[in-house]
Amino acid sequence: MSQQPSHIVIGAGISGLSAAHYAARGGQTVHVLEADARPGGCMHTHSFPALGGYWVEAGSHSCFNSYGNLLGIMEQLGILERATAKAKQSYKLWRGGRRKSIVSALHPFELLRSLPKLFGADKTGASVREYYGTGLGAKNYRDLFGPAFRSVICQPPDDFPAEALFRKKPRRKDVLRSFTMPEGLGEIPRAIAETPGVQLTTNAIATAIERDADGYAVTCADGTRHRADWLTLAVAPDVAATLLTDAAAEAAAIVAGIGMAEIDSQLLVLDKADLGVDALAGFISVDGEFLSAVSRDFLTHPQLRGFAFHFPGDRLDEQARIAAACRALDAQPERVRAAACVRNRLPALRKGHGDQVTALDRALAGGRLGLTGNWFLGVSIEDCVTRSRSEHERRFGALPETTSYTPATAASPEPR
Ligand SMILES: Cc1cc2nc3c(=O)[nH]c(=O)nc-3n(C[C@H](O)[C@H](O)[C@H](O)COP(=O)(O)OP(=O)(O)OC[C@H]3O[C@@H](n4cnc5c(N)ncnc54)[C@H](O)[C@@H]3O)c2cc1C
């Protein structure tokens, strides 16, 4: 992009890329600055060249037919037809150093007694523990659902806002219920980064933002300076708080209170013959060293199986993480064919988060600065894209509906 862009986006995760896509489709020239060497953020498919390009999802692994805004973008880019069905597998529990079935942790009578309370209850302002502990029963929450929610958000779930964990979204019946892509979900951010009108610069760490009469100037760690009339931040709240200190002090002060959960995602690949477990979706860990694990068994390979084990950040070294994963998989660490570790970060939202977002939106109202991310509506990919869309519409007006379908009335309980 030789001339000055009209819009700068900081962060090339799905939030920033969807914001860039909407802006470019509206006729703007958009420059996306990404700190990492690749786009996608938590939508990261890790490929192992030494294993013929066999890949494992290091972060998000599933998209759903309830992701209407994401599906609309995929349709515009002509990649929706690449959506690929995932083979249906079950999760296992990892408890007391043993694999167990999910139903083994269920207290069915308590569930039956409690469920009517769930249907009548209002999530607004409630924490996950308050809402689901009552609606599913205290023992069910302790033994099964609490650990399952911890697996979903990779952090203790008790104080997380119930509204941000699961949101109802209409389903598209013409799209696979749950899908991946032939080369993994990382295909999606890569395709969005190629939207005409979007220029992506990787290894560009934004370090400072200044406001001038008509817009914003962004300085990067390598000393480069970029200027545009419009600016969208699509980074974690701690990064946004630092970057906005001078340019938008009120917004920065609100955002500064939002914490982050650090996650070490340990990827490993083994030969099928070296594993003692049958195909599975992954593990919900009740008391293990890892928080959760997701397998790649949803797309079978003739010889290999891959896994991502998610651990609390900075707790164990790689050798200890691989040993813990191999215990759950009934495999020998020395038989691991390939391994890699990826750092993921997710927001640690707390009860009352909705009020923070309302205050933030008030501070942003009428301005040229937009904020998007997985810390507004919830952490799912669709929550990110929905926020990017609403930030676009706040500043540039309503977008035309992109899909020709009629939303189904069925509501999706998917968290992601
Ligand atoms: C293990 C895991 C599994 C998940 N599974 C699913 C799933 O199956 N389905 C689902 O819907 N969701 C899932 N999610 C959630 C979802 O993937 C994320 O919430 C979403 O991808 C976050 O996108 P984002 O763009 O808001 O943030 P990120 O992906 O974190 O992107 C932020 C980007 O900003 C960049 N950045 C940071 N600082 C700077 C700076 N100073 N200058 C420039 N760039 C900067 C970062 O490098 C990063 O690329 C999962 C998340 C995790 C961690």
Side-chain angles (χ1 to χ4, degrees):
M1 195 174 289
S2 48
Q3 95 251 54
Q4 182 177 293
S6 48
H7 197 143
I8 291 173
V9 174
I10 304 178
I14 190 62
S15 300
L17 290 170
S18 54
H21 174 85
Y22 287 133
R25 294 279 298 193
Q28 299 178 37
T29 48
V30 190
H31 190 179
V32 183
L33 302 170
E34 166 55 48
D36 211 334
R38 53 156 189 94
C42 296
M43 273 184 103
H44 173 34
T45 307
H46 187 93
S47 175
F48 294 92
L51 297 179
Y54 181 81
W55 54 263
V56 177
E57 297 290 13
S60 38
H61 46 88
S62 305
C63 287
F64 299 94
N65 64 356
S66 53
Y67 286 12
N69 287 312
L70 180 78
L71 299 177
I73 292 177
M74 291 175 70
E75 231 159 18
Q76 286 171 342
L77 296 171
I79 57 168
L80 187 54
E81 63 266 27
R82 287 179 64 76
T84 302
K86 297 176 68 187
K88 232 176 160 21
Q89 317 281 358
S90 308
Y91 278 90
K92 290 255 176 245
L93 276 191
W94 179 248
R95 193 180 62 207
R98 303 184 63 179
R99 290 183 296 276
K100 311 243 177 182
S101 71
I102 298 288
V103 285
S104 69
L106 199 66
H107 301 276
F109 294 114
E110 187 192 51
L111 187 66
L112 282 175
R113 274 198 315 273
S114 313
L115 268 180
K117 293 184 212 148
L118 190 68
F119 295 127
D122 183 9
K123 273 186 188 174
T124 319
S127 69
V128 165
R129 188 190 179 87
E130 287 164 351
Y131 182 77
Y132 291 102
T134 308
L136 300 168
K139 283 192 281 182
N140 276 312
Y141 183 84
R142 182 196 62 203
D143 295 342
L144 178 58
F145 293 99
F149 298 149
R150 191 174 71 130
S151 292
V152 171
I153 52 176
C154 293
Q155 59 187 286
D158 290 0
D159 299 327
F160 205 81
E163 288 160 283
L165 187 62
F166 299 105
R167 284 191 324 111
K168 289 183 180 176
K169 308 168 187 105
R171 290 183 182 286
R172 268 184 72 166
K173 293 220 168 127
D174 61 327
V175 176
L176 290 164
R177 189 177 189 283
S178 158
F179 67 86
T180 180
M181 299 292 273
E183 303 300 325
L185 291 184
E187 272 193 40
I188 301 174
R190 286 199 299 275
I192 304 178
E194 279 164 21
T195 301
V198 172
Q199 185 204 334
L200 168 68
T201 303
T202 51
N203 299 309
I205 307 168
T207 52
I209 298 172
E210 285 161 61
R211 196 171 164 177
D212 60 32
D214 307 310
Y216 296 89
V218 180
T219 306
C220 287
D222 63 1
T224 53
R225 237 172 109 79
H226 311 270
R227 202 209 156 275
D229 291 350
W230 302 89
L231 175 66
T232 298
L233 260 69
V235 291
D238 55 343
V239 180
T242 307
L243 287 175
L244 292 175
T245 309
D246 297 327
E250 192 187 346
I254 298 166
V255 172
I258 303 170
M260 291 298 292
E262 308 288 333
I263 304 146
D264 283 331
S265 298
Q266 181 66 51
L267 314 183
L268 57 162
V269 183
L270 288 118
D271 277 321
K272 281 183 166 175
D274 289 330
L275 283 149
V277 286
D278 291 337
L280 77 171
F283 290 104
I284 293 168
S285 169
V286 177
D287 53 9
E289 291 149 302
F290 58 90
L291 298 161
S292 61
V294 177
S295 91
R296 215 214 86 163
D297 290 338
F298 55 78
L299 267 194
T300 52
H301 184 274
Q303 192 195 347
L304 302 170
R305 290 177 66 190
F307 302 86
F309 277 76
H310 305 295
F311 290 83
D314 301 318
R315 196 74 66 78
L316 299 176
D317 64 22
E318 184 162 35
Q319 204 185 352
R321 287 194 300 266
I322 291 177
C326 284
R327 276 192 291 277
L329 295 170
D330 205 358
Q332 298 302 316
E334 54 278 11
R335 303 296 299 171
V336 169
R337 294 279 308 272
C341 184
V342 172
R343 171 54 64 99
N344 279 306
R345 308 185 78 215
L346 282 175
L349 306 182
R350 292 291 169 261
K351 207 179 135 168
H353 181 68
D355 296 337
Q356 262 172 308
V357 173
T358 306
L360 189 53
D361 284 346
R362 216 176 287 130
L364 296 172
R368 291 175 168 225
L369 170 69
L371 280 186
T372 181
N374 55 2
W375 43 282
F376 292 89
L377 300 166
V379 300
S380 82
I381 291 166
E382 178 65 6
D383 291 333
C384 297
V385 182
T386 304
R387 171 70 187 185
S388 296
R389 180 176 179 144
S390 68
E391 277 297 81
H392 179 88
E393 293 186 329
R394 171 175 70 79
R395 290 172 294 165
F396 306 107
L399 286 163
E401 276 311 319
T402 49
T403 49
S404 50
Y405 75 102
T406 314
T409 46
S412 152
E414 273 97 24
R416 311 185 140 169

